[in-house]
Amino acid sequence: KNEVEQSPQNLTAQEGEFITINCSYSVGISALHWLQQHPGGGIVSLFMLSSGKKKHGRLIATINIQEKHSSLHITASHPRDSAVYICAVGGGSQGNLIFGKGTKLSVKP
Amino acid sequence: DARVTQTPRHKVTEMGQEVTMRCQPILGHNTVFWYRQTMMQGLELLAYFRNRAPLDDSGMPKDRFSAEMPDATLATLKIQPSEPRDSAVYFCASGFLGDGKFIGTQYFGPGTRLLVL
C-alpha cells in the first residue's frame, strides 16, 4: 500500500464546475504539499499546510491531521487549470517528501 | 524573478555514457533536492543536501549515481555508466529549512529530460 494515496486518478470536468481532489496518507507528517504539474512538465508548489485551511485565488486546500486526509478544491474551474495535481507529505525534520501518484485533471470549455 | 535553473534541459545519450546534470538553486536557499519522475513510479526523491552537506541519498542507486554540491550555487547529479532504465525527467528543487521540524516550500527547476538509448 502506498504511503500517499490520491483520488481520483483522472478527472474530467466542465468549465465552471467545482472540483475536489483527495489525498490520504498513512505516515506521520509535519506538513503536506500540493503541487501542480502542467502539460509542459513544470512543477509549481501550490500550498504547504500543516493544519486547517489555506486559500489562494480559486484554490482551497484543507487538511485534517487526525484523519490523515487533505483535499484540494478548485472553484469555478477553467481549462487552464488542466494539469496533474500531486500531493506530497513531509515526515521529518530534514525536508524529504513522499509523493502521491497524482491526479490528472482535464477541464473542458 | 528568482528561479531554480537546470542544465541541460534535454539529454540523449547511449548506454554506458556518463551523464552530468546541473542545478543552480535560488540564492539564499540552504536545501537542494534531486527528484526523478517516470511514468511508472511518479516522483521519487533521489538525494538532498542542506547547507551543501548530503543528508539522505538512500533513493539513489549508489553504484552508478552520485550527487554533490561543490558550492552553494551549484548542485550536480551524475550517472556513470548510464542505462536505459535511467531514462526519466530529473528535477532539482531548492528551499530553506530552519532548525525545527517545519518543512519549507520547495521551488522546482524545469527538469532535465534524459533518454538513454
Side-chain angles (χ1 to χ4, degrees):
Chain A
K1 187 179 186 300
N2 292 330
E3 293 170 298
V4 181
E5 296 273 2
Q6 285 186 238
S7 63
Q9 285 187 324
N10 294 282
L11 179 58
T12 300
Q14 286 298 127
E15 184 174 356
E17 286 185 357
F18 180 84
I19 288 163
T20 296
I21 300 171
N22 296 300
C23 175
S24 297
Y25 53 92
S26 58
V27 294
I29 70 168
S30 53
L32 182 143
H33 299 246
W34 281 102
L35 309 173
Q36 179 191 55
Q37 186 169 29
H38 276 284
I43 297 176
V44 175
S45 179
L46 297 174
F47 294 104
M48 179 186 60
L49 63 165
S50 53
S51 65
K53 180 169 88 171
K54 285 191 175 180
K55 185 175 188 292
H56 185 250
R58 295 180 294 106
L59 302 177
I60 303 167
T62 64
I63 187 169
N64 185 317
I65 297 293
Q66 288 73 31
E67 295 185 2
K68 296 187 174 180
H69 180 269
S70 175
S71 293
L72 176 68
H73 305 286
I74 305 175
T75 61
S77 60
H78 190 276
R80 64 174 176 265
D81 297 326
S82 298
V84 176
Y85 292 84
I86 302 168
C87 171
V89 300
S93 60
Q94 309 295 349
N96 54 304
L97 295 179
I98 304 169
F99 297 89
K101 297 295 186 187
T103 294
K104 186 174 181 180
L105 170 66
S106 178
V107 181
K108 306 293 186 187
Chain B
D1 183 25
R3 59 184 67 187
V4 176
T5 58
Q6 288 185 248
T7 57
R9 293 291 306 275
H10 299 88
K11 177 74 176 179
V12 180
T13 190
E14 292 186 343
M15 183 174 63
Q17 297 297 306
E18 177 179 302
V19 176
T20 299
M21 291 169 270
R22 293 177 175 81
C23 168
Q24 183 173 10
I26 291 174
L27 192 63
H29 283 181
N30 66 351
T31 309
V32 174
F33 303 82
W34 282 106
Y35 298 103
R36 176 171 61 185
Q37 186 178 40
T38 61
M39 290 292 292
M40 292 298 295
Q41 300 295 330
L43 273 165
E44 303 172 286
L45 176 69
L46 294 175
Y48 60 101
F49 297 78
R50 184 181 176 190
N51 296 325
R52 295 177 55 202
L55 288 186
D56 187 349
D57 59 3
S58 58
M60 281 197 322
K62 300 290 192 307
D63 56 338
R64 299 184 300 108
F65 283 61
S66 62
E68 296 179 344
M69 273 201 81
D71 63 59
T73 64
L74 178 64
T76 62
L77 179 66
K78 290 186 181 180
I79 309 174
Q80 169 63 20
S82 58
E83 297 180 2
R85 60 181 168 151
D86 301 328
S87 298
V89 181
Y90 291 81
F91 287 99
C92 171
S94 73
F96 188 85
L97 295 181
D99 293 327
K101 290 189 176 182
F102 196 70
I103 299 172
T105 298
Q106 297 185 19
Y107 296 83
F108 286 75
T112 293
R113 191 175 295 272
L114 174 66
L115 177 61
V116 183
L117 302 173

